[in-house]
């Protein structure tokens, strides 16, 4: 009888404990999933104005149920049937592995490490180079994390010459990945230089005369495989840092040093290969030529160069004499920056560009401006507050402006380049989205960095149904850059990843741009130079503490997650600040940048001789782990190879630390068809370990 009573009491106690364990059901997950993009987009009334240009800067575009014809001369937008069934033909002949000439008559491609040209009308093929061999081929795009078969070239405007290179990788180290499958695994092997390697890919610059099938070598030593815009010489899809004159007789180019601290502006004679040194710029950290586009231009008609520099701590334009290499004048100036040059009008001597930080409010919003070569006549052309996307008409006299904010849906206008509004085009409407899902936009916030003085910005996502008096765990989504940031685009988006969806499960989700991210001053961007392992984390913590004064944030329950650089930062958060960050999901992280592609680290962190890479590696701090850490990686990741993650795994095991691991045996850097699975596992991890609730078992995401 006594034993029976004990069992009853024990059963009652277990039942009581189980009753107190909160749960998240499949219905909760289903409701959260409704806030993902594949569910929200159906409720947004918005016509994306994709112009089909015709004569007189008129254009037509397709609306929801109509085709509209826009005429700037009459300032009219009218429904029309004249263009309803027509389709524009923008694509030229040629495959994705070919680059078509400006006149549309020829294309070039790689065969057996040599460059060939094809006449598109007849299909006739002609070999242009003959000494290309394995690991020393022409126009190859196979260095580091990029390894495609497309040629990297830049055609001259007259379609008679090609600027390219012969890439020497003969002594560069190899990378290896092995597939998982039934039967013998397949080995993937390619050239992948690492930080500190003695040998990296070098390019011997050449010009190819297509008609003569003649290769002209430029009279300069080989350059490192580097560019001014990013960590790849073909980030724009063609050969970066090349600017031909109209008749193809000269080619301007910029040579970048291995550490990105020195830039040489040069002009080559396209017939002889003789190179003239014009000027150079040397910086203390790393040089950049703009945001998203290369901002320098060669103007042979006036013998001038428009050059981009951050020499006064802000990204601005400068005018140089291309004959003497002397500075003529600074074009833009002030505590704001030129992001991207969109159009240079040589006849009117006017530059049109996107600028950031000049107008009041969020400095990440880009506005369109114009200014004279002499620096006079600076004019704001898009005064409405927001982030602006610009598309110029064929004549350059007009442009389509689409602007929005993270919490303000887009509006499209047609304007003239003098700033006058020709007519409004479209306005997005999210009323149906609000009614159907109870959707609400993220909340933009302005905060202070960890130094207490620097302004930083971010977004906050709260549950659409919040309980009064209740505090919520916080999840920090992070991408520390330094080439980008956590927010990404500051334009409107109804669904930013799964931030709102995750918030619906009972979290406050924050996305903070810390010091070290672009679109601000040079010193702001270089805040973590030489100390990349800091990963903006002090600013993330400072921001969360400040937000707790306004939002019901429980600062004792802080989670963090990110992918790639965000995966690196997430693991660093739990290992370096274990008393603040309690739960982390680290996806595809480059946990030790000595094991990542050379140019990214050497650009933003310095050469291995100038920066303490071991002190920034996550495995160095494995013994500090206190919270719950989930590592995830694709074992065929050719961007961030998985062995860097495995070094962290080994260090955690050596430190006798518990952690969780998900591997995707045949996935690349992104997880492809397993992305939905990873999202669900991420939700489960935060629900269980941060919220303290039981997730539904094996919930099937709609995207699976």
């Amino acid at each position: 009888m006594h034993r029976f009573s004990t069992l009853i009491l024990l059963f009652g106690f277990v039942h009581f404990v189980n009753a107190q364990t909160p749960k998240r059901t499949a219905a909760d997950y289903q409701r959260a999933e409704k806030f993902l993009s594949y569910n929200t987009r159906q409720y947004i009334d918005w016509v994306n104005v994709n112009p089909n240009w015709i004569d007189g800067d008129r254009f037509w575009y397709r609306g929801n149920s109509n085709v509209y014809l826009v005429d700037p001369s009459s300032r009219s937008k009218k429904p029309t049937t004249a263009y309803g069934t027509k389709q524009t033909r923008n694509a030229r002949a040629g495959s994705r592995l070919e680059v078509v000439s400006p006149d549309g008559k020829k294309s070039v491609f790689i065969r057996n490490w040599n460059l060939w040209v094809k006449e598109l009308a007849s299909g006739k093929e002609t070999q242009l180079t003959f000494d290309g061999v394995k690991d020393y081929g022409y126009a190859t795009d196979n260095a580091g994390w990029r390894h495609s078969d497309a040629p990297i070239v830049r055609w001259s405007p007259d379609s008679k010459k090609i600027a390219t290179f012969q890439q020497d990788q003969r002594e560069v180290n190899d990378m290896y990945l092995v597939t998982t499958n039934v039967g013998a695994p397949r080995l993937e092997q390619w050239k992948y230089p690492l930080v500190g390697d003695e040998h990296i890919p070098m390019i011997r610059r050449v010009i190819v005369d297509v008609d003569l099938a003649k290769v002209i070598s430029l009279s300069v030593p080989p350059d490192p495989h580097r560019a001014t815009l990013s960590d790849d010489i073909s980030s724009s899809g063609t050969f970066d840092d090349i600017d031909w004159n109209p008749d193809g007789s000269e080619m301007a180019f910029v040579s970048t040093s291995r550490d990105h601290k020195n830039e040489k502006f040069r002009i080559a004679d396209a017939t002889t290969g003789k190179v003239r040194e014009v000027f150079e710029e040397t910086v203390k950290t790393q040089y950049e030529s703009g945001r998203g586009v290369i901002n320098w231009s060669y103007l042979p008609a006036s013998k001038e160069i428009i050059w981009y520099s951050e020499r006064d701590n802000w990204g601005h334009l400068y005018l140089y004499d291309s004959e003497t290499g002397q500075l003529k004048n600074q074009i833009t100036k002030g505590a704001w920056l030129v992001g991207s040059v969109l159009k240079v009008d040589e006849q009117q001597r006017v530059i049109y560009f996107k600028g950031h930080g000049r107008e009041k409010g969020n400095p990440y919003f880009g506005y369109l401006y114009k200014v004279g070569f002499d620096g006079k006549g600076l004019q704001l052309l898009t005064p409405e507050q927001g982030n602006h996307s610009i598309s110029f008409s064929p004549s350059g006299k007009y442009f389509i402006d689409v602007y929005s904010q993270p919490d303000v849906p887009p509006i499209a206008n047609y304007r003239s380049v003098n700033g006058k509004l020709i007519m409004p085009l479209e306005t997005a409407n999210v009323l149906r989205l609000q009614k159907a899902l109870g959707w609400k936009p993220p909340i933009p916030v302005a905060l202070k960095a960890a130094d207490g003085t620097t302004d930083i910005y971010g977004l906050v996502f709260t549950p659409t149904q919040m309980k009064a008096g209740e505090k919520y765990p916080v999840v920090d989504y992070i991408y520390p850059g330094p080439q980008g940031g956590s927010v990404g685009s500051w334009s409107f988006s109804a669904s930013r990843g799964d931030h709102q969806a995750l918030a619906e499960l009972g979290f406050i989700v924050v996305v903070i741009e810390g010091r070290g991210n672009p679109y601000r001053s040079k010193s702001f961007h270089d805040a973590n130079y030489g100390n990349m392992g800091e990963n903006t984390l002090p600013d993330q913590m400072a921001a969360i503490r400040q937000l707790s004064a306004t939002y019901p944030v429980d600062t004792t329950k802080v989670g963090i997650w990110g992918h790639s650089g965000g995966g690196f930062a997430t693991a660093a958060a739990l290992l370096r600040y274990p008393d603040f960050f309690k739960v982390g999901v680290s996806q595809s992280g480059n946990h030790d940048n000595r094991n990542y592609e050379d140019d990214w680290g050497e650009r933003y962190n310095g050469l291995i001789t100038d920066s303490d890479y071991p002190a920034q590696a996550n495995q160095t701090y494995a013994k500090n782990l206190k919270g719950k850490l989930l590592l995830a990686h694709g074992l065929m990741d050719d961007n961030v190879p998985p062995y860097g993650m495995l070094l962290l795994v080994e260090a955690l095991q050596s430190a006798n630390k518990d952690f969780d691991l998900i591997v995707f045996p045949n996935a690349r850097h992104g997880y492809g068809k397993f992305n939905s699975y990873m999202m669900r596992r991420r939700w489960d991890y935060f629900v269980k370990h941060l919220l303290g609730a039981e997730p539904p078992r094996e919930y099937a995401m709609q995207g699976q």
Side-chain angles (χ1 to χ4, degrees), residues 126-408:
T126 303
Q127 188 169 352
L128 297 175
T129 68
F130 295 87
D131 59 337
V133 294
K134 185 178 184 298
D135 298 327
Y136 196 23
Y138 283 91
T140 53
D141 187 27
N142 59 355
W145 62 271
R146 289 181 63 108
H147 47 111
S148 81
D149 294 323
I152 303 304
V153 301
R154 183 70 68 90
W155 281 94
S156 61
D158 62 2
S159 300
K160 293 183 178 180
K161 298 184 180 70
I162 295 169
T164 188
F165 51 81
Q166 189 176 14
Q167 181 168 244
D168 191 352
Q169 302 186 96
R170 290 171 292 186
E171 296 185 75
V172 175
N173 286 328
D174 289 333
M175 177 58 65
Y176 306 94
L177 295 174
V178 180
T179 63
T180 299
N181 50 264
V182 175
R186 298 185 306 277
L187 174 69
E188 288 191 4
Q189 177 181 0
W190 77 102
K191 296 297 181 180
Y192 190 106
L194 300 174
V195 167
D197 279 359
E198 179 181 358
H199 300 288
I200 65 171
M202 302 292 288
I203 58 172
R204 182 179 73 88
R205 296 180 180 269
V206 301
I207 292 173
V208 180
D209 187 312
V210 176
D211 292 338
L212 300 178
K214 180 182 178 182
V215 177
I216 301 107
S217 296
L218 302 194
S219 60
V220 290
D223 278 329
H225 184 276
R226 298 289 191 262
T228 66
L229 184 62
S230 73
D231 57 345
D232 189 82
I233 204 166
S234 59
S235 62
S236 64
T238 60
F239 192 6
D240 282 355
D241 293 318
I242 300 293
D243 206 356
W244 286 94
N245 67 351
D247 65 6
S249 61
E250 284 185 336
M251 182 199 72
F253 66 100
V254 175
S255 295
T256 300
S257 63
R258 175 169 179 168
D259 59 7
H260 289 267
K261 294 182 179 180
N262 179 262
E263 307 293 340
K264 290 183 171 67
F265 194 99
R266 295 162 158 169
I267 298 176
D269 185 309
T271 302
T272 66
K274 184 179 180 181
V275 173
R276 179 166 59 89
E277 304 284 348
V278 182
F279 68 86
E280 64 182 301
E281 179 165 348
T282 301
V283 298
K284 291 182 179 179
T285 54
Q286 53 97 17
Y287 173 85
E288 292 181 290
S289 60
R291 303 306 319 160
V293 300
I294 294 171
N295 284 333
W296 69 261
S297 299
Y298 175 43
L299 311 174
S302 59
K303 298 181 179 179
E304 291 171 315
I305 297 162
I306 295 172
W307 182 246
Y308 185 83
S309 174
E310 296 175 291
R311 64 189 61 169
D312 66 358
N313 196 39
W314 297 92
H316 283 301
L317 302 176
Y318 296 78
L319 190 66
Y320 275 82
D321 186 311
S322 67
E323 293 289 299
T324 66
Q326 297 298 307
L327 175 66
K328 299 180 74 171
N329 60 266
Q330 185 171 350
I331 300 172
T332 59
K333 62 183 64 176
W336 55 277
L337 63 93
V338 174
S340 52
V341 173
L342 303 183
K343 183 177 183 297
V344 177
D345 187 332
E346 296 185 56
Q347 291 187 336
Q348 299 297 320
R349 296 182 67 79
V350 172
I351 304 168
Y352 298 86
F353 64 90
K354 290 270 291 293
H356 299 262
R358 185 174 181 269
E359 310 308 315
K360 290 182 180 180
N362 192 320
Y364 294 98
F365 290 165
Y367 296 84
L368 181 66
Y369 301 86
K370 70 176 180 179
V371 68
F373 283 15
D374 58 4
K376 297 178 181 179
L378 178 65
Q379 181 183 354
L380 172 65
L381 300 177
T382 55
E384 298 88 354
Q385 188 176 38
N387 198 35
H388 294 256
S389 177
I390 308 299
S391 176
F392 282 95
S393 69
S395 72
K397 296 179 180 179
Y398 304 93
F399 62 89
I400 297 170
D401 170 31
V402 179
Y403 67 95
S404 65
Q405 300 179 42
D407 56 339
V408 180

Side-chain angles (χ1 to χ4, degrees), residues 86-114:
K86 293 184 179 179
Q87 301 289 333
T88 54
R89 296 179 60 86
N90 295 322
R92 287 172 172 165
S95 75
R96 65 180 183 85
L97 299 181
E98 302 174 13
V99 178
V100 178
S101 60
D103 62 10
K105 297 180 179 180
K106 299 181 285 290
S107 68
V108 290
F109 61 94
I110 298 171
R111 178 181 293 157
N112 295 329
W113 305 289
N114 282 293

Side-chain angles (χ1 to χ4, degrees), residues 507-565:
F507 304 96
I508 290 179
V509 177
V510 300
V511 183
I512 305 297
E513 299 286 40
R515 289 169 298 169
N517 294 146
Y519 287 101
R520 303 287 293 277
S521 66
K522 173 68 170 169
S523 56
F524 187 99
H525 194 191
D526 286 345
N528 296 331
Y529 186 89
N531 187 21
M532 190 181 289
E534 190 162 285
N535 279 306
T536 81
L537 291 170
D539 291 346
Q540 304 292 323
M541 294 186 291
I544 291 170
R545 291 187 179 109
Q546 292 168 64
L547 289 170
S548 68
T550 306
Y551 298 90
V553 168
D554 186 347
T555 56
T556 68
K557 296 180 179 179
V558 180
I560 185 170
W561 82 274
H563 190 94
S564 194

